[in-house]
Amino acid sequence: MELSELYTEVITEYSRSNKHKHPLKDPTVAMRGVNPSCGDDIKLELKIQDGIIREAGFSGSGCAISEASTAVMTELIKGKSTEAAGNLIKLFIGMIQNTVTGEEELEELQEAQAFKDISRMPARVKCAVLSWHTLEEALKIYAVSPA
């Protein structure tokens, strides 16, 4: 199996999974992200305790790329500090923009690397980064008023 096929399989698997697609009870922070150009609309919810993301979930609807990216992201940030999550955002956006290309650096993204070639499909870039920008805004809100 070629690497591109593996990545396609990862995206397909996560877009169909409901593992992280659920609202959280009493989230610390919730943020809505909307991509008006294609209709992706998500609500990201986080439970943060002592600067650690203990739980992450989302609801809403979107295309397969958007939902898969959100599911991969929520899995990746669980158990990470808000600072580490912020670094993952920078890595992911950098990967999509082709400004971060080092394999060793990108290893930290784990299965989120499956979105590496999205930059070749400009119409889909906004779908892939929606949840990451939403997470970035949620972390800004948390930083201003941590629970």
Side-chain angles (χ1 to χ4, degrees), residues 95-115:
M95 176 185 72
I96 298 297
Q97 295 173 341
N98 288 315
T99 58
V100 177
T101 57
E103 285 183 39
E104 198 170 294
E105 273 183 294
L106 295 177
E107 280 181 18
E108 196 173 341
L109 289 172
Q110 298 174 22
E111 291 186 312
Q113 292 179 72
F115 298 90

Side-chain angles (χ1 to χ4, degrees), residues 52-73:
I52 305 294
I53 300 169
R54 304 290 179 189
E55 289 184 59
F58 71 99
S59 56
S61 62
C63 67
I65 298 288
S66 175
E67 291 211 7
S69 182
T70 306
V72 168
M73 181 197 73

Side-chain angles (χ1 to χ4, degrees), residues 12-28:
T12 302
E13 177 187 327
Y14 275 93
S15 70
R16 294 179 179 165
S17 171
N18 287 326
K19 183 177 178 183
H20 300 288
K21 192 171 183 178
H22 56 81
L24 299 182
K25 184 178 179 186
D26 302 320
T28 308

